[in-house]
Amino acid sequence: MNNLCVLVMAAGKGTRMKSDVPKVLQTVLDRPMIDYVIRNVQSAGIEAQNMAVLVGSGGEQVEAHITKSFPGVKVLWQHEQLGTGHAVKSAREWWKDYDSLVVLNGDLPLMKNDSLKRLIALAGEKDCTVITFEAENPGAYGRIIRDKNSVSIIEFKDADEQQRKIHEVNAGCYAFKVKSLLSVIDKITNNNAQHEYYITDALGLMNDSGMSTGAFIMPESEMQGVNTQRELANVSRVMRDEILERFMSNGVRIADPSSVYIGADVEISPDAVIMPNVQIWGKSSVGKNSVIGSGSILTNANIGENVHVIAYAVIENSTLKDGAKAGPFCYIRDNTVLEKGAFAGKFVEIKNSTIGEGSKVPHLSYMGDATLGHDVNIGAGSITCNYDGQSKHPTHIGDNCFIGSNTMFVAPAEVGNGAATAAGSVITQRVPDDSLGVGRARQKNIEGWSLHNHNRN
């Protein structure tokens, strides 16, 4: 692995995707497919400074993503898409001083780390080693032509009828000795049906010069490229099934695997229960003995042990600590914390707030930018009026408070320990400890109003 670099090819337009989003940024589950490739390379022990991504069509979007998500990885440009040989040549100034170069396609999210390590280990053994696979339906893949001591590749459009019957095909991944590649890269021509410069022609040129070329076959399941939305869906399904199988093998109960989606970065402890139609994304984690109810969507959610997310809860960038309870039909977001045993119930939204230990927001309420102490009960229909049109303001509610239904807290607002508010109150001033805050108009009854206005007899 000494003095080895990895070039990820991401310059193609992906015309058949029918999308303005560059192909390598199309998502597999919840991550762009190129992320899986780069992370695989990193897991194989390649440091960021020895990795580059070659961009072209839609390159600004890809470059912005790589710069943000993988600092240190070099972004190189192929300003004209003239074929894979031209692409590798476009990056020559970057790779020419290394001993070995590994070239990977950016649309191979299913490649296993062990397979990549095998390819890296082969770098330097031959002048070029290519990854191949036996395709059930070889389609338009380049065909592998094996000789006794060498390997060559012929593109589908240049292959004759007999060659097209070959099922061993090119996966588009190579390991080169840099010195050998430098000796042939300028000899590649575009004398073919597509009038493009193919990196595959490098193998033929090496063979003609007496260099060594070889190939090793990998499972077709790892080599599924993505060129259409259908292929993207198929790869996502395979990835999902692999992730679910791993969790179930580790003791996680998934009631209906066919309806559950879990991202690659999620962590779930044994004895957790995932009910049907659940989605869990991002850096989410679910602790032991917790239940995630049907229809719930978790994104970057930290779920402790013995938590019950009842059903149809949306939880984003928030934490539910041990024994907390949420749902059904609640929205918890933006750095909210439900402390131990806290509860967010039906038709409740909580944003950027801390709900103290044992506290309850049972139904039809909004808590935004609020801090609740322990053992607080929020009555139905209560809200924090946290936004004045320009800025957000906090609400602080102390321990052991009882908030009457339909209380409006005009933030900044504060309620002391042991205090209460009367139902229907608008709280604009601090409520002291152990006090009752009442902020509502006195009721006035107008006798005979209905008879007068509705002409009743």
Side-chain angles (χ1 to χ4, degrees):
M1 205 178 299
N2 291 332
N3 205 22
L4 177 145
C5 62
V6 176
L7 178 66
V8 178
M9 307 282 269
K13 187 175 182 179
T15 305
R16 285 183 284 165
M17 298 299 293
K18 306 294 184 183
S19 173
D20 292 334
V21 178
K23 183 173 76 168
V24 296
L25 296 186
Q26 300 282 335
T27 55
V28 175
L29 300 181
D30 62 337
R31 299 198 64 86
M33 73 174 82
I34 196 171
D35 286 20
Y36 295 94
V37 178
I38 295 176
R39 288 181 171 199
N40 197 10
V41 174
Q42 292 175 328
S43 296
I46 306 300
E47 297 181 356
Q49 64 265 28
N50 296 323
M51 191 188 320
V53 176
L54 186 72
V55 303
S57 180
E60 293 82 4
Q61 296 178 57
V62 181
E63 182 175 29
H65 174 73
I66 298 301
T67 301
K68 179 181 178 180
S69 301
F70 301 99
V73 173
K74 186 77 171 176
V75 175
L76 306 173
W77 278 84
Q78 181 191 18
H79 292 287
E80 291 183 277
Q81 279 70 67
L82 302 178
T84 53
H86 178 262
V88 174
K89 185 176 178 180
S90 298
R92 175 167 53 185
E93 286 303 307
W94 175 74
W95 53 257
K96 66 181 179 65
D97 294 322
Y98 286 89
D99 292 332
S100 301
L101 167 67
V102 170
V103 178
L104 300 175
N105 279 338
D107 67 342
L108 293 176
L110 297 179
M111 181 188 286
K112 297 291 188 293
N113 191 245
D114 286 346
S115 299
L116 177 59
K117 286 180 178 179
R118 285 179 62 198
L119 178 62
I120 289 172
L122 289 170
E125 287 192 8
K126 293 182 179 292
D127 295 286
C128 179
T129 300
V130 59
I131 289 180
T132 69
F133 64 96
E134 290 282 347
E136 183 177 349
N137 179 15
Y141 283 103
R143 302 310 201 257
I144 299 299
I145 311 297
R146 287 183 177 266
D147 201 350
K148 185 176 180 179
N149 297 311
S150 65
V151 169
S152 59
I153 303 169
I154 186 164
E155 297 297 334
F156 174 78
K157 291 187 177 182
D158 299 306
D160 60 31
E161 184 176 348
Q162 193 64 30
Q163 290 168 330
R164 290 183 179 185
K165 294 179 181 179
I166 297 172
H167 281 253
E168 186 180 5
V169 299
N170 175 29
C173 302
Y174 313 88
F176 291 103
K177 286 183 181 179
V178 165
K179 184 177 180 180
S180 303
L181 180 59
L182 285 171
S183 70
V184 300
I185 191 74
D186 288 325
K187 299 177 183 177
I188 295 174
T189 69
N190 64 349
N191 185 23
N192 51 63
Q194 291 289 90
H195 300 292
E196 291 186 352
Y197 298 88
Y198 297 140
I199 191 61
T200 53
D201 288 350
L203 279 78
L205 292 167
M206 289 178 176
N207 292 331
D208 292 343
S209 299
M211 300 181 196
S212 58
T213 57
F216 77 90
I217 299 177
M218 286 179 50
E220 182 178 7
S221 59
E222 295 185 37
M223 294 291 102
Q224 293 184 46
V226 178
N227 293 297
T228 67
Q229 294 292 343
R230 170 60 66 184
E231 291 173 350
L232 181 65
N234 290 339
V235 166
S236 296
R237 176 184 51 78
V238 172
M239 181 76 73
R240 182 197 68 172
D241 290 347
E242 290 179 354
I243 291 169
L244 296 182
E245 181 61 34
R246 184 175 74 247
F247 283 126
M248 289 187 288
S249 297
N250 196 39
V252 176
R253 180 188 168 195
I254 299 177
D256 179 17
S258 67
S259 69
V260 170
Y261 287 80
I262 298 176
D265 296 327
V266 173
E267 297 180 2
I268 305 178
S269 298
D271 292 318
V273 178
I274 312 298
M275 298 304 288
N277 298 304
V278 166
Q279 300 177 43
I280 308 178
W281 305 118
K283 294 286 188 180
S284 294
S285 62
V286 179
K288 192 176 180 68
N289 296 317
S290 290
V291 178
I292 310 300
S294 294
S296 296
I297 303 174
L298 280 57
T299 305
N300 298 322
N302 181 13
I303 307 298
E305 297 184 358
N306 300 295
V307 172
H308 191 184
V309 178
I310 300 170
Y312 301 101
V314 177
I315 304 172
E316 299 172 350
N317 304 299
S318 295
T319 297
L320 275 62
K321 294 190 177 180
D322 296 351
K325 187 176 180 181
F329 303 106
C330 65
Y331 186 20
I332 299 171
R333 62 186 178 96
D334 297 347
N335 303 309
T336 287
V337 177
L338 267 60
E339 298 285 359
K340 290 183 178 180
F343 173 46
K346 298 175 288 295
F347 304 106
V348 165
E349 181 177 358
I350 304 177
K351 170 253 178 187
N352 190 33
S353 297
T354 298
I355 310 302
E357 188 170 334
S359 291
K360 302 175 182 179
V361 188
H363 34 222
L364 300 163
S365 295
Y366 170 70
M367 295 286 109
D369 302 293
T371 303
L372 278 60
H374 65 75
D375 298 302
V376 173
N377 187 83
I378 302 293
S382 297
I383 70 169
T384 59
C385 307
N386 57 322
Y387 185 50
D388 63 7
Q390 293 183 333
S391 302
K392 300 290 180 70
H393 300 283
T395 295
H396 297 277
I397 299 174
D399 301 330
N400 297 297
C401 291
F402 183 87
I403 304 304
S405 295
N406 200 35
T407 296
M408 308 287 126
F409 295 98
V410 181
E414 184 176 356
V415 178
N417 294 330
T421 64
S425 291
V426 178
I427 301 300
T428 58
Q429 299 178 16
R430 183 181 187 276
V431 180
D433 293 357
D434 303 313
S435 300
L436 173 65
V438 182
R440 62 190 182 198
R442 185 180 297 276
Q443 180 173 327
K444 180 180 179 180
N445 297 329
I446 302 175
E447 296 184 4
W449 182 89
S450 292
L451 292 174
H452 175 75
N453 283 279
H454 296 287
N455 295 317
R456 295 179 181 174
N457 294 323

